[in-house]
Amino acid sequence: MLKAAFKKNDGKAKWLIGIFSVVVFGAIVALSRIKLNVDLGFDVHVFAKTNAVINSIVAILLVAALVAVKQKKYALHKKLMLGAMILSIVFLVSYICHHLLSGDTKYGGEGAIRYIYYFILITHIFLAAIILPFILFTAYRGLIAEWPQHRKLAKITWPIWFYVSVTGVLVYLMISPYYS
């Protein structure tokens, strides 16, 4: 097992994780209602494509990190998970840019595919909204070397984070034909 990277301070960690999670959630909700009318000279949907690529890479990193930890390659697991977290921050910035610059896109599919799309979209949005504090608490438990608590949280966090990453790509693939 790895040594702790940080000293344990649950009170401070809970406050920081809680505040950060609320601020990020609030910013996304608030910014989803704003559209900037700025001509950047390029198709702003490049941000959506970037988001899909980032989500794909995060999903791959999550699988690789799971394999690494199962093989007891803890240092590699840590690097892969930190990489997934950093890419998720880049995703968040790109996501905000896309929605600020492009606004909403209406899905144009019809029939059963429309219901499938909305099921994927709604579950993706709901789980994306709740996953951040889970990711941060799971990482915190790992970084302070509280392995039983880290594993317990990771059993909840990993599948949700993976689902959010994969469905993010599916949502992009299904909505991108309707970008104008």
Side-chain angles (χ1 to χ4, degrees):
M1 291 301 218
L2 301 174
K3 291 184 179 181
F6 294 104
K7 286 188 172 197
K8 181 178 178 172
N9 188 341
D10 285 356
K12 187 175 184 179
K14 287 177 184 176
W15 274 102
L16 288 173
I17 290 169
I19 290 169
F20 184 74
S21 298
V22 167
V23 167
V24 168
F25 180 77
I28 290 172
V29 169
L31 293 174
S32 69
R33 298 173 183 357
I34 299 169
K35 182 180 186 289
L36 299 177
N37 291 317
V38 178
D39 183 8
L40 297 176
F42 62 88
D43 182 7
V44 295
H45 295 298
V46 71
F47 291 113
K49 187 178 286 188
T50 301
N51 293 343
V53 170
I54 291 170
N55 271 331
S56 298
I57 295 169
V58 168
I60 291 165
L61 288 174
L62 290 173
V63 170
L66 180 64
V67 170
V69 79
K70 297 283 185 187
Q71 294 176 346
K72 300 187 186 319
K73 296 178 181 177
Y74 302 117
L76 176 59
H77 170 76
K78 180 179 176 180
K79 288 176 186 173
L80 292 166
M81 292 307 296
L82 289 174
M85 290 179 72
I86 290 166
L87 281 177
S88 293
I89 293 167
V90 173
F91 165 84
L92 183 60
V93 171
S94 179
Y95 176 87
I96 290 170
C97 289
H98 181 247
H99 285 277
L100 275 175
L101 297 168
S102 72
D104 290 333
T105 299
K106 301 294 181 205
Y107 182 70
E110 296 177 1
I113 194 70
R114 184 175 189 81
Y115 296 107
I116 293 168
Y117 169 77
Y118 280 110
F119 175 80
I120 293 169
L121 178 65
I122 290 166
T123 58
H124 171 80
I125 290 170
F126 174 75
L127 293 171
I130 66 168
I131 193 60
L132 180 59
F134 283 93
I135 292 169
L136 296 175
F137 274 114
T138 304
Y140 169 70
R141 292 292 173 216
L143 291 170
I144 63 169
E146 286 190 349
W147 307 121
Q149 297 89 333
H150 175 75
R151 278 191 292 277
K152 185 177 179 182
L153 276 171
K155 287 180 181 180
I156 298 166
T157 305
W158 190 94
I160 296 171
W161 192 0
F162 183 74
Y163 180 85
V164 168
S165 296
V166 171
T167 56
V169 176
L170 292 175
V171 167
Y172 167 75
L173 292 173
M174 295 176 85
I175 194 77
S176 61
Y178 304 103
Y179 287 150
S180 54

